[in-house]
Amino acid sequence: MMKRIVTLQDISCVGRCSITVALPIISAMGVECGILPTAVLSTHTMFQTYTCKDLSDQIEPISDAWEKEQVSFDGIYTGYLASGEQCHQVCDFFDRFSGRSSGKRSMVIVDPAMADNGKLYAAFDEAFPAEMAEVCAKADVILPNMTEASLLTGLPYKTEQDPAYIRQLLEALLELGCGTAVLTGVSYEPGKLGVAALDRDGNEFSYFTRRCEQSYHGTGDIFSSTVAGGIMRGMRLKDALALAADYVVRCIEATAASDSARWYGAEFESQIPWLCRELEERLRRG
Ligand code: PXL
């Protein structure tokens, strides 16, 4: 039977991030994707002018209606959340819908999308990372980038990385309470970039690709959505991470070959056929 995931993040109407990325990618991967929009923005917050309508007051009534209709999810995937208060609501949502009480556990995947390149996104204040840490505490898998990991753990943000520092960050992330911590944007040598993960049983793994010169907004959302889709399709986490990293590289390469502005995100659409083919191929190989 087809798996059903629900993603909780904003709708940035233009700019290729959050729901406008998650929905097409997860659907293309053969997974039903429900949405619970946390806010509606004209664009993501890296544009100079943007509007934002917080939808916090919709989370509870939508949850109530779903509960009445006995809607259930195989997975819950969260991204950009609009406020600290909303982080609490999302924790309540996990308690209601992750099936921990009914025994049919759903996978909780949290991308604590709140910062990049050493800086919090424009809409957040310094108190926000501690609220997001509470969301991470309830997750099976968290997917922070280096900046987010440093804000979540209080460890310094370093652009020069080594394995000891990455291990320290991963251990500190696990201490938040999540099942597996995945760090993105890990780099030990100039031409390579990748991810490193550690789970509660002490299993550690990493995956590296070539480092692309260009960077585009929203690639973190492309990555996390692909990981979520891969897990829902039954991939092992490390295989889902590798597929997601390879897909992001292809998306960046496709975008670099065109002349689109980086604020409009990466052209993930043109690489969806590759993603679908590669997903089925890698699932077959096992
Ligand atoms: O891609 C992360 C993201 C999602 N949603 C909104 C954002 C950002 C990053 O800036 O502003 C509204």
Side-chain angles (χ1 to χ4, degrees), residues 10 12 17-18 41 43-46 80 113 121 217-218 221:
D10 68 284
S12 286
C17 69
S18 35
L41 293 89
T43 59
H44 58 66
T45 60
M46 305 297 255
Y80 186 100
Y121 292 149
H217 205 70
D221 297 337

Side-chain angles (χ1 to χ4, degrees), residues 158-215:
K158 292 188 195 169
T159 46
E160 299 276 309
Q161 304 159 13
D162 58 62
Y165 169 64
I166 295 301
R167 176 80 191 198
Q168 190 190 16
L169 270 178
L170 287 170
E171 283 174 1
L173 288 167
L174 283 182
E175 275 171 29
L176 299 176
C178 58
T180 302
V182 179
L183 256 177
T184 63
V186 176
S187 185
Y188 301 138
E189 40 180 321
K192 302 236 181 248
L193 190 69
V195 300
L198 180 67
D199 69 19
R200 302 200 78 76
D201 299 325
N203 299 306
E204 193 174 0
F205 49 89
S206 53
Y207 182 78
F208 293 89
T209 65
R210 75 170 195 83
R211 180 196 272 275
C212 305
E213 276 166 50
Q214 305 80 3
S215 77

